[in-house]
Amino acid sequence: MRLARYGDNRLGLVDGYVLRDITQVIERLPQYRWPLPVGDQLIAHLESLRRTIKGASEAAARIPVTELKLLSPVANPPRVIAAPINYRAHEAEAENPEIKQGNDFSSEGFATPIDKFGLFLKSPTSVVGAGEGITLGFPGRRTDFEVELAVVIGEKARNVSPEAALDSVAGYCIGLDISARGTEDRSFRKSADSYTVLGPWLVTADEIPDPDNLGLRLAVNGELRQNSNTKHMIVGVGELIARASRAFTLHPGDVLLTGTPEGVGALQSGMTIRATIDGIGAMDVKVR
Ligand code: MN
Protein backbone atom coordinates (compact mmCIF):
# COMPACT_ATOMS: atom_id res chain seq x y z
CA MET A 1 0.00 0.00 0.00
CA ARG A 2 1.01 3.56 -0.68
CA LEU A 3 -0.67 5.98 1.70
CA ALA A 4 -0.63 9.74 1.24
CA ARG A 5 -1.88 12.55 3.47
CA TYR A 6 -2.85 15.62 1.52
CA GLY A 7 -4.87 18.83 1.36
CA ASP A 8 -6.76 19.51 4.58
CA ASN A 9 -5.74 16.29 6.41
CA ARG A 10 -7.21 13.94 3.82
CA LEU A 11 -6.01 10.37 3.38
CA GLY A 12 -5.42 8.69 0.04
CA LEU A 13 -4.37 5.35 -1.39
CA VAL A 14 -1.87 5.96 -4.20
CA ASP A 15 -2.01 3.75 -7.28
CA GLY A 16 0.44 4.86 -9.98
CA TYR A 17 -0.35 8.45 -10.92
CA VAL A 18 -3.76 8.55 -9.28
CA LEU A 19 -4.94 8.66 -5.68
CA ARG A 20 -8.19 7.34 -4.24
CA ASP A 21 -9.67 9.39 -1.40
CA ILE A 22 -10.11 7.07 1.59
CA THR A 23 -10.42 9.78 4.27
CA GLN A 24 -13.50 8.02 5.73
CA VAL A 25 -11.21 5.28 7.10
CA ILE A 26 -10.03 7.71 9.80
CA GLU A 27 -13.48 7.37 11.45
CA ARG A 28 -12.55 3.78 12.33
CA LEU A 29 -9.69 4.86 14.61
CA PRO A 30 -10.32 4.77 18.38
CA GLN A 31 -11.75 8.09 19.62
CA TYR A 32 -9.13 8.98 22.22
CA ARG A 33 -9.40 11.75 24.81
CA TRP A 34 -6.66 13.50 26.74
CA PRO A 35 -4.07 12.34 27.67
CA LEU A 36 -3.48 10.88 24.21
CA PRO A 37 -1.40 7.71 23.81
CA VAL A 38 2.16 8.16 22.53
CA GLY A 39 2.54 7.67 18.80
CA ASP A 40 0.69 8.11 15.53
CA GLN A 41 -2.62 6.26 15.86
CA LEU A 42 -3.17 5.75 12.13
CA ILE A 43 0.25 4.08 11.85
CA ALA A 44 -0.46 2.07 15.03
CA HIS A 45 -3.69 0.65 13.51
CA LEU A 46 -2.60 0.39 9.88
CA GLU A 47 -2.45 -3.41 9.70
CA SER A 48 -5.92 -3.89 11.19
CA LEU A 49 -7.32 -1.29 8.75
CA ARG A 50 -5.98 -2.92 5.57
CA ARG A 51 -9.29 -4.50 4.53
CA THR A 52 -11.22 -1.31 5.36
CA ILE A 53 -8.77 0.74 3.27
CA LYS A 54 -9.11 -1.60 0.31
CA GLY A 55 -12.91 -1.53 0.53
CA ALA A 56 -13.03 2.27 0.77
CA SER A 57 -10.69 2.67 -2.20
CA GLU A 58 -12.86 0.64 -4.59
CA ALA A 59 -15.69 3.17 -4.70
CA ALA A 60 -13.49 6.26 -4.26
CA ALA A 61 -12.97 9.04 -6.77
CA ARG A 62 -9.62 8.97 -8.62
CA ILE A 63 -7.56 12.17 -8.40
CA PRO A 64 -4.26 12.80 -10.27
CA VAL A 65 -1.51 12.88 -7.61
CA THR A 66 0.16 15.90 -9.24
CA GLU A 67 -2.87 18.07 -8.36
CA LEU A 68 -2.52 17.54 -4.62
CA LYS A 69 -0.66 19.35 -1.84
CA LEU A 70 1.14 16.47 -0.14
CA LEU A 71 1.56 16.54 3.67
CA SER A 72 3.82 14.29 5.75
CA PRO A 73 2.47 10.72 5.54
CA VAL A 74 3.03 10.49 9.32
CA ALA A 75 0.81 13.11 10.95
CA ASN A 76 2.04 12.77 14.55
CA PRO A 77 5.54 11.29 14.71
CA PRO A 78 6.47 11.08 18.40
CA ARG A 79 10.14 11.46 17.43
CA VAL A 80 12.52 11.79 14.53
CA ILE A 81 15.57 9.65 15.32
CA ALA A 82 18.54 10.17 13.00
CA ALA A 83 21.91 8.67 12.12
CA PRO A 84 24.64 11.35 12.09
CA ILE A 85 27.15 9.86 9.62
CA ASN A 86 26.28 6.56 7.97
CA TYR A 87 28.03 6.59 4.56
CA ARG A 88 31.85 6.62 4.33
CA ALA A 89 31.88 9.00 1.36
CA HIS A 90 29.77 11.50 3.33
CA GLU A 91 32.08 11.10 6.34
CA ALA A 92 34.97 12.09 4.04
CA GLU A 93 33.20 15.14 2.57
CA ALA A 94 32.16 16.30 6.06
CA GLU A 95 35.83 17.24 6.62
CA ASN A 96 35.20 20.22 4.31
CA PRO A 97 35.55 23.24 6.69
CA GLU A 98 32.26 24.76 5.44
CA ILE A 99 30.41 21.60 6.52
CA LYS A 100 32.55 20.81 9.55
CA GLN A 101 32.40 24.27 11.19
CA GLY A 102 34.91 23.15 13.82
CA ASN A 103 32.91 20.05 14.81
CA ASP A 104 34.61 16.71 15.37
CA PHE A 105 33.06 14.45 12.70
CA SER A 106 35.91 11.89 12.62
CA SER A 107 35.16 8.36 13.79
CA GLU A 108 38.81 7.37 14.00
CA GLY A 109 39.32 4.71 16.67
CA PHE A 110 35.68 3.52 16.52
CA ALA A 111 34.21 0.71 14.41
CA THR A 112 31.54 3.03 13.00
CA PRO A 113 30.63 6.72 13.42
CA ILE A 114 27.46 5.61 15.25
CA ASP A 115 29.58 3.77 17.81
CA LYS A 116 31.11 7.15 18.60
CA PHE A 117 28.22 9.60 18.16
CA GLY A 118 25.15 7.38 18.68
CA LEU A 119 21.86 8.53 17.15
CA PHE A 120 20.42 12.02 17.61
CA LEU A 121 16.88 13.35 17.93
CA LYS A 122 15.19 16.00 15.79
CA SER A 123 12.10 17.81 16.96
CA PRO A 124 8.94 16.17 15.55
CA THR A 125 7.62 19.70 14.92
CA SER A 126 10.26 20.02 12.17
CA VAL A 127 8.28 17.54 10.00
CA VAL A 128 6.48 18.72 6.85
CA GLY A 129 5.32 17.09 3.62
CA ALA A 130 6.64 17.60 0.10
CA GLY A 131 3.85 20.06 -0.79
CA GLU A 132 4.64 22.34 2.16
CA GLY A 133 8.22 23.13 1.15
CA ILE A 134 11.28 24.19 3.15
CA THR A 135 11.54 27.60 4.82
CA LEU A 136 15.15 28.50 5.59
CA GLY A 137 15.25 29.06 9.36
CA PHE A 138 18.79 30.39 9.92
CA PRO A 139 19.22 33.44 7.65
CA GLY A 140 22.79 33.96 6.50
CA ARG A 141 23.87 30.44 7.55
CA ARG A 142 24.84 27.67 5.15
CA THR A 143 21.96 25.16 5.18
CA ASP A 144 22.31 21.82 3.36
CA PHE A 145 20.05 19.25 1.74
CA GLU A 146 20.52 15.59 2.76
CA VAL A 147 18.45 12.85 1.11
CA GLU A 148 17.90 9.82 3.38
CA LEU A 149 15.80 6.68 3.53
CA ALA A 150 13.16 7.25 6.25
CA VAL A 151 11.91 4.23 8.21
CA VAL A 152 8.52 4.49 9.96
CA ILE A 153 8.11 2.28 13.04
CA GLY A 154 4.76 0.47 13.23
CA GLU A 155 4.61 -0.91 16.77
CA LYS A 156 6.17 -0.62 20.20
CA ALA A 157 9.65 -2.14 20.18
CA ARG A 158 12.25 -2.45 22.93
CA ASN A 159 15.56 -4.34 22.76
CA VAL A 160 14.83 -5.92 19.38
CA SER A 161 17.55 -7.88 17.58
CA PRO A 162 18.82 -6.64 14.19
CA GLU A 163 17.38 -9.80 12.62
CA ALA A 164 13.86 -9.20 14.02
CA ALA A 165 13.92 -5.40 13.71
CA LEU A 166 12.29 -5.15 10.26
CA ASP A 167 9.16 -6.84 11.70
CA SER A 168 8.47 -3.63 13.65
CA VAL A 169 8.56 -1.41 10.52
CA ALA A 170 5.26 -0.04 9.17
CA GLY A 171 6.82 1.32 6.00
CA TYR A 172 9.25 3.65 4.30
CA CYS A 173 9.30 7.09 2.74
CA ILE A 174 11.85 9.58 1.44
CA GLY A 175 13.36 11.87 4.07
CA LEU A 176 15.17 15.18 3.75
CA ASP A 177 17.32 15.99 6.80
CA ILE A 178 17.76 19.74 6.33
CA SER A 179 20.82 20.91 8.22
CA ALA A 180 22.05 24.36 9.12
CA ARG A 181 25.83 24.20 9.49
CA GLY A 182 27.37 25.55 12.66
CA THR A 183 28.86 24.71 16.02
CA GLU A 184 25.63 23.87 17.90
CA ASP A 185 24.33 20.37 18.67
CA ARG A 186 22.73 18.63 15.69
CA SER A 187 19.32 18.64 17.38
CA PHE A 188 19.36 22.46 17.43
CA ARG A 189 20.66 23.01 13.89
CA LYS A 190 18.35 20.43 12.31
CA SER A 191 15.06 21.05 14.14
CA ALA A 192 13.81 24.32 12.62
CA ASP A 193 10.24 24.25 11.26
CA SER A 194 10.20 22.36 7.92
CA TYR A 195 13.73 20.89 8.41
CA THR A 196 12.43 17.30 8.14
CA VAL A 197 10.59 16.66 4.88
CA LEU A 198 8.82 13.27 4.62
CA GLY A 199 7.11 12.00 1.51
CA PRO A 200 5.80 11.72 -1.03
CA TRP A 201 3.80 8.94 0.70
CA LEU A 202 4.30 5.94 2.98
CA VAL A 203 5.09 2.66 1.19
CA THR A 204 4.20 -0.24 3.50
CA ALA A 205 7.02 -2.61 4.45
CA ASP A 206 5.61 -5.56 2.46
CA GLU A 207 6.52 -3.67 -0.76
CA ILE A 208 10.17 -3.09 0.30
CA PRO A 209 11.68 -6.52 1.02
CA ASP A 210 15.26 -5.19 1.26
CA PRO A 211 15.62 -1.59 2.54
CA ASP A 212 19.42 -2.09 2.50
CA ASN A 213 19.53 -2.06 -1.30
CA LEU A 214 17.64 0.97 -2.65
CA GLY A 215 18.98 3.56 -5.05
CA LEU A 216 18.52 7.13 -3.77
CA ARG A 217 19.07 10.39 -5.62
CA LEU A 218 18.66 14.13 -5.16
CA ALA A 219 18.64 16.79 -7.89
CA VAL A 220 18.61 20.56 -7.45
CA ASN A 221 16.88 22.50 -10.24
CA GLY A 222 17.25 19.40 -12.42
CA GLU A 223 20.97 18.88 -11.72
CA LEU A 224 21.88 15.56 -10.06
CA ARG A 225 23.77 16.18 -6.80
CA GLN A 226 23.41 12.98 -4.74
CA ASN A 227 23.32 9.51 -6.29
CA SER A 228 23.96 6.44 -4.15
CA ASN A 229 22.39 3.27 -2.77
CA THR A 230 21.42 2.28 0.77
CA LYS A 231 23.71 -0.74 0.38
CA HIS A 232 26.53 1.73 1.11
CA MET A 233 25.17 2.52 4.59
CA ILE A 234 27.75 1.72 7.27
CA VAL A 235 25.05 0.47 9.68
CA GLY A 236 22.02 -1.11 7.99
CA VAL A 237 18.34 -0.54 8.78
CA GLY A 238 17.91 -3.57 11.08
CA GLU A 239 20.97 -2.70 13.15
CA LEU A 240 19.92 0.99 13.38
CA ILE A 241 16.49 0.01 14.73
CA ALA A 242 18.10 -2.45 17.17
CA ARG A 243 20.48 0.21 18.48
CA ALA A 244 17.69 2.77 18.89
CA SER A 245 15.50 0.20 20.66
CA ARG A 246 18.28 -0.51 23.16
CA ALA A 247 18.34 3.17 24.13
CA PHE A 248 14.57 3.70 24.40
CA THR A 249 11.22 2.11 23.55
CA LEU A 250 10.21 2.77 19.96
CA HIS A 251 6.60 3.82 19.34
CA PRO A 252 4.28 3.68 16.31
CA GLY A 253 5.06 6.61 14.03
CA ASP A 254 8.64 7.08 15.21
CA VAL A 255 10.69 8.05 12.14
CA LEU A 256 14.27 6.86 11.71
CA LEU A 257 16.42 8.85 9.26
CA THR A 258 19.21 6.53 8.14
CA GLY A 259 21.90 9.03 7.11
CA THR A 260 22.81 10.76 3.86
CA PRO A 261 25.25 9.75 1.13
CA GLU A 262 27.85 12.10 -0.35
CA GLY A 263 26.99 15.13 -2.44
CA VAL A 264 25.34 17.38 0.17
CA GLY A 265 25.24 21.06 -0.68
CA ALA A 266 23.86 24.45 0.23
CA LEU A 267 20.22 25.45 -0.30
CA GLN A 268 19.13 28.81 -1.67
CA SER A 269 15.69 30.33 -1.64
CA GLY A 270 13.89 29.63 -4.91
CA MET A 271 15.46 26.23 -5.53
CA THR A 272 13.40 23.13 -6.26
CA ILE A 273 14.68 19.80 -4.94
CA ARG A 274 13.69 16.50 -6.52
CA ALA A 275 14.37 13.52 -4.23
CA THR A 276 13.93 9.94 -5.44
CA ILE A 277 14.22 6.52 -3.79
CA ASP A 278 13.73 3.35 -5.84
CA GLY A 279 10.61 1.44 -4.79
CA ILE A 280 9.11 4.51 -3.10
CA GLY A 281 8.83 7.29 -5.70
CA ALA A 282 9.94 10.87 -6.16
CA MET A 283 9.00 14.19 -4.57
CA ASP A 284 9.52 17.81 -5.58
CA VAL A 285 10.14 20.24 -2.72
CA LYS A 286 10.43 24.03 -3.03
CA VAL A 287 12.78 26.15 -0.90
CA ARG A 288 11.61 29.54 0.43
MN1 MN B 1 21.40 13.51 8.01
Side-chain angles (χ1 to χ4, degrees), residues 82-85 90 120 122 146-148 176-179 181 186 190 257-260 264:
I85 293 171
H90 175 60
F120 67 95
K122 300 184 71 168
E146 298 188 348
V147 66
E148 312 196 2
L176 295 177
D177 175 22
I178 304 302
S179 305
R181 300 303 175 194
R186 290 180 176 88
K190 293 169 173 263
L257 295 175
T258 54
T260 195
V264 303

Coordinates of all heavy atoms in Angstrom, one line a residue, residues 82-85 90 120 122 146-148 176-179 181 186 190 257-260 264, ligand 1:
A82 N 17.7 10.1 14.2 CA 18.5 10.2 13.0 C 20.0 9.7 13.2 O 20.5 9.9 14.3 CB 18.5 11.6 12.5
A83 N 20.5 9.1 12.1 CA 21.9 8.7 12.1 C 22.8 9.8 11.7 O 22.5 10.4 10.7 CB 22.1 7.5 11.2
P84 N 23.8 10.2 12.4 CA 24.6 11.3 12.1 C 25.5 11.2 10.8 O 25.4 11.9 9.9 CB 25.5 11.6 13.3 CG 25.5 10.2 14.0 CD 24.3 9.5 13.7
I85 N 26.3 10.1 10.8 CA 27.2 9.9 9.6 C 27.1 8.4 9.4 O 27.4 7.6 10.2 CB 28.6 10.3 9.9 CG1 28.7 11.8 10.0 CG2 29.5 9.8 8.8 CD1 30.1 12.3 10.5
H90 N 30.3 10.3 2.7 CA 29.8 11.5 3.3 C 30.7 11.9 4.5 O 30.9 13.0 4.8 CB 28.3 11.4 3.8 CG 27.8 12.5 4.6 ND1 27.8 13.8 4.0 CD2 27.3 12.7 5.8 CE1 27.3 14.7 4.9 NE2 27.0 14.0 6.0
F120 N 20.9 10.8 17.0 CA 20.4 12.0 17.6 C 18.9 12.2 17.3 O 18.3 11.5 16.5 CB 21.2 13.2 17.1 CG 21.1 13.5 15.6 CD1 20.2 14.5 15.2 CD2 21.9 12.9 14.7 CE1 20.0 14.8 13.9 CE2 21.7 13.2 13.3 CZ 20.8 14.1 12.9
K122 N 15.7 14.7 16.4 CA 15.2 16.0 15.8 C 13.8 16.3 16.4 O 13.0 15.3 16.6 CB 15.1 15.9 14.3 CG 16.4 15.6 13.5 CD 16.2 15.6 12.0 CE 15.9 17.0 11.5 NZ 16.0 17.1 10.0
E146 N 20.0 17.0 2.5 CA 20.5 15.6 2.8 C 19.4 14.6 2.5 O 18.4 14.6 3.2 CB 21.0 15.4 4.2 CG 22.1 16.3 4.7 CD 22.6 16.0 6.1 OE1 22.0 15.2 6.8 OE2 23.7 16.5 6.4
V147 N 19.5 13.8 1.4 CA 18.4 12.8 1.1 C 18.7 11.6 1.9 O 19.9 11.2 2.0 CB 18.3 12.6 -0.4 CG1 19.6 11.9 -1.0 CG2 17.1 11.7 -0.7
E148 N 17.7 11.0 2.5 CA 17.9 9.8 3.4 C 16.7 8.9 3.3 O 15.6 9.4 3.1 CB 18.1 10.3 4.8 CG 19.1 11.4 5.0 CD 19.6 11.6 6.4 OE1 19.2 10.9 7.3 OE2 20.4 12.6 6.6
L176 N 14.1 14.1 3.9 CA 15.2 15.2 3.7 C 15.5 15.7 5.1 O 14.7 16.1 5.9 CB 14.7 16.3 2.9 CG 14.3 16.0 1.4 CD1 13.8 17.3 0.8 CD2 15.5 15.5 0.7
D177 N 16.8 15.5 5.5 CA 17.3 16.0 6.8 C 18.0 17.3 6.5 O 19.2 17.4 6.2 CB 18.3 14.9 7.4 CG 19.0 15.4 8.7 OD1 18.4 16.3 9.3 OD2 20.0 14.9 9.0
I178 N 17.2 18.4 6.6 CA 17.8 19.7 6.3 C 18.6 20.2 7.5 O 18.2 20.1 8.7 CB 16.6 20.7 6.0 CG1 15.7 20.2 4.9 CG2 17.1 22.1 5.7 CD1 16.5 19.9 3.6
S179 N 19.8 20.7 7.2 CA 20.8 20.9 8.2 C 21.5 22.3 8.1 O 22.2 22.5 7.1 CB 21.9 19.8 8.1 OG 21.3 18.5 8.1
R181 N 24.5 24.5 9.0 CA 25.8 24.2 9.5 C 26.2 25.2 10.6 O 25.8 26.3 10.6 CB 26.8 24.3 8.3 CG 26.5 23.3 7.2 CD 26.5 21.9 7.6 NE 26.1 21.0 6.6 CZ 25.7 19.7 6.7 NH1 25.7 19.2 8.0 NH2 25.4 18.9 5.7
R186 N 23.5 18.9 16.9 CA 22.7 18.6 15.7 C 21.2 18.9 15.9 O 20.5 19.4 15.1 CB 22.9 17.2 15.3 CG 24.3 16.9 14.7 CD 24.4 15.4 14.4 NE 25.7 15.1 13.8 CZ 26.8 14.7 14.4 NH1 26.8 14.7 15.7 NH2 27.9 14.4 13.8
K190 N 19.1 21.2 13.3 CA 18.4 20.4 12.3 C 16.9 20.4 12.7 O 16.2 19.5 12.1 CB 18.9 19.0 12.2 CG 20.3 18.9 11.6 CD 20.9 17.5 11.8 CE 22.2 17.3 11.1 NZ 22.0 16.6 9.8
L257 N 15.7 8.4 10.4 CA 16.4 8.9 9.3 C 17.8 8.1 9.3 O 18.5 8.2 10.3 CB 16.6 10.4 9.3 CG 15.3 11.2 9.2 CD1 15.7 12.7 9.4 CD2 14.6 11.0 7.8
T258 N 18.1 7.5 8.1 CA 19.2 6.5 8.1 C 20.6 7.1 7.7 O 21.5 6.3 7.5 CB 18.8 5.3 7.2 OG1 18.5 5.8 6.0 CG2 17.6 4.6 7.8
G259 N 20.6 8.4 7.5 CA 21.9 9.0 7.1 C 21.9 9.3 5.6 O 21.2 8.7 4.8
T260 N 22.8 10.3 5.3 CA 22.8 10.8 3.9 C 24.1 10.3 3.2 O 25.2 10.3 3.8 CB 22.7 12.3 3.8 OG1 22.4 12.7 2.4 CG2 24.0 13.0 4.2
V264 N 26.1 16.3 -0.5 CA 25.3 17.4 0.2 C 25.8 18.8 -0.3 O 26.9 18.9 -0.7 CB 25.4 17.3 1.7 CG1 25.0 15.9 2.2 CG2 26.8 17.6 2.2
Ligands
MN1 MN 21.4 13.5 8.0

